[in-house]
Amino acid sequence: FHSQLLYLGHHPALKDELTPLENVLLGLGMEGFRTPRSEVVKALRNFGLEGRLHLPARYLSAGQRRRVLLSRLMLRPACLWILDEPFTALDTHATQLLTDLVQSHLARQGMAILTSHQPIGLPSGSTLNL
């Protein structure tokens, strides 16, 4: 069950003394997922963290910390995503990237449960239960 579930909480839960790269590698490793370093770098860059890969997390803004956490969506296979306020502190680019990731996940028959104060565009045929 746990291998098919990816939970990302409202709080980014990063270790302040570790870099974004180290935080993601550690988090995936603790869950038993060995991901090539190059794939983690690519995911972090896709979320706009180029130039911050080796900066301790304590120096990141709230939005940057959120993007470190969300980069795991690109790396960690799971059928069910549970996302608590994933759009918090994101800029326009990161918001669109996250929306695209969720829509792509749903199109691949994945499931997503998330909370949000922002409207979320869902692909046609998807349901939203409140």
Side-chain angles (χ1 to χ4, degrees), residues 46-48 66-67 70 73-74 81 86-105 118-123:
N46 283 340
F47 263 102
R66 170 72 51 195
R67 287 182 271 166
L70 293 173
L73 295 172
M74 302 174 103
W81 291 355
F87 294 99
T88 299
L90 294 183
D91 61 15
T92 304
H93 171 75
T95 297
Q96 186 60 55
L97 179 57
L98 176 56
T99 300
D100 292 346
L101 284 171
V102 170
Q103 288 179 348
S104 176
H105 181 66
Q118 291 115 329
I120 302 163
L122 293 173

Side-chain angles (χ1 to χ4, degrees), residues 79-91:
C79 181
L80 174 60
W81 291 355
I82 300 177
L83 311 174
D84 185 10
E85 293 289 342
F87 294 99
T88 299
L90 294 183
D91 61 15

Side-chain angles (χ1 to χ4, degrees), residues 30-100:
M30 288 175 55
E31 293 180 319
F33 292 92
R34 302 292 175 222
T35 305
R37 183 183 183 95
S38 61
E39 292 299 313
V40 176
V41 168
K42 182 179 174 182
L44 290 166
R45 285 181 175 155
N46 283 340
F47 263 102
L49 293 165
E50 181 73 40
R52 291 171 180 79
L53 299 178
H54 303 290
L55 186 68
R58 76 172 134 290
Y59 297 113
L60 300 176
S61 69
Q64 291 166 338
R65 294 172 68 85
R66 170 72 51 195
R67 287 182 271 166
V68 171
L69 180 69
L70 293 173
S71 69
R72 295 180 62 201
L73 295 172
M74 302 174 103
L75 301 164
R76 165 77 159 69
C79 181
L80 174 60
W81 291 355
I82 300 177
L83 311 174
D84 185 10
E85 293 289 342
F87 294 99
T88 299
L90 294 183
D91 61 15
T92 304
H93 171 75
T95 297
Q96 186 60 55
L97 179 57
L98 176 56
T99 300
D100 292 346

